[in-house]
Amino acid sequence: MRRDEAILPFRGMTLWRIQLKLRKLRRAKIFISATTDPKWRPRDVTFVADVPPSHGPLSGLYASISRMRTSHLLALAIDMPWMSNKYLEFLCAEMEPACGVLPKIGDRAEPLAAIYPREAAIETAKALAGSDFSLQSSMRRYSS
């Protein structure tokens, strides 16, 4: 998309405002990952620049995992207005030490509605060093 999806309206509210309503989860920090710091970013949300050169969501995922100070990162794309606290709580309940949670619909992963352990930084760095920056491809390589 050639414009900031976060400011698109959905049912009378911008997508970024909808996502921030999910703050009810226990969390240490909220990151917004993008190539540039969005003007709409609330002050209590930390901007994390995609690792240059940006290779889409994979760059943002790596930058966020590298910046986190907790054991796990919940990655959530901005264009998921139907996401609920209940579903995110379900994902969090599935976490285990050093292990992520990767939902799948059929044979397709949902890598931007997933939980990544700190250890995923190694795998995302390997993917960025390659030539295929698709999260779907990365998830197929590193999940069963």
Side-chain angles (χ1 to χ4, degrees):
M1 193 172 215
R2 295 275 181 229
R3 57 189 266 197
D4 187 355
E5 287 179 85
I7 60 173
L8 293 176
F10 181 81
R11 295 189 171 187
M13 192 180 290
T14 58
L15 290 176
W16 73 265
R17 287 190 187 274
I18 292 168
Q19 293 294 51
L20 288 181
K21 289 176 82 175
L22 299 171
R23 290 180 180 208
K24 293 177 186 171
L25 287 174
R26 294 171 290 150
R27 54 130 172 104
K29 195 101 172 148
I30 295 178
F31 299 138
I32 297 288
S33 177
T35 54
T36 59
D37 192 354
K39 293 178 183 177
W40 52 262
R41 180 181 55 85
R43 291 178 192 244
D44 64 334
V45 172
T46 302
F47 169 66
V48 176
D50 287 1
V51 172
S54 183
H55 294 295
L58 184 62
S59 294
L61 183 60
Y62 175 72
S64 297
I65 291 171
S66 298
R67 185 91 179 262
M68 71 182 197
R69 301 290 173 244
T70 58
S71 63
H72 289 81
L73 173 79
L74 168 65
L76 185 60
I78 198 73
D79 61 353
M80 296 183 166
W82 299 108
M83 187 56 65
S84 70
N85 278 306
K86 185 176 180 177
Y87 185 72
L88 295 178
E89 288 168 1
F90 164 76
L91 289 180
C92 289
E94 299 296 311
M95 285 188 317
E96 294 182 16
C99 186
V101 180
L102 180 63
K104 289 187 177 183
I105 298 174
D107 64 345
R108 289 191 55 83
E110 287 294 340
L112 293 178
I115 296 177
Y116 295 88
R118 175 186 310 281
E119 294 80 4
I122 296 166
E123 301 307 327
T124 53
K126 285 180 188 176
L128 282 171
S131 60
D132 181 358
F133 308 115
S134 161
L135 279 175
Q136 287 297 321
S137 297
S138 295
M139 295 306 113
R140 274 192 292 278
R141 283 193 300 268
Y142 305 116
S143 67
S144 52

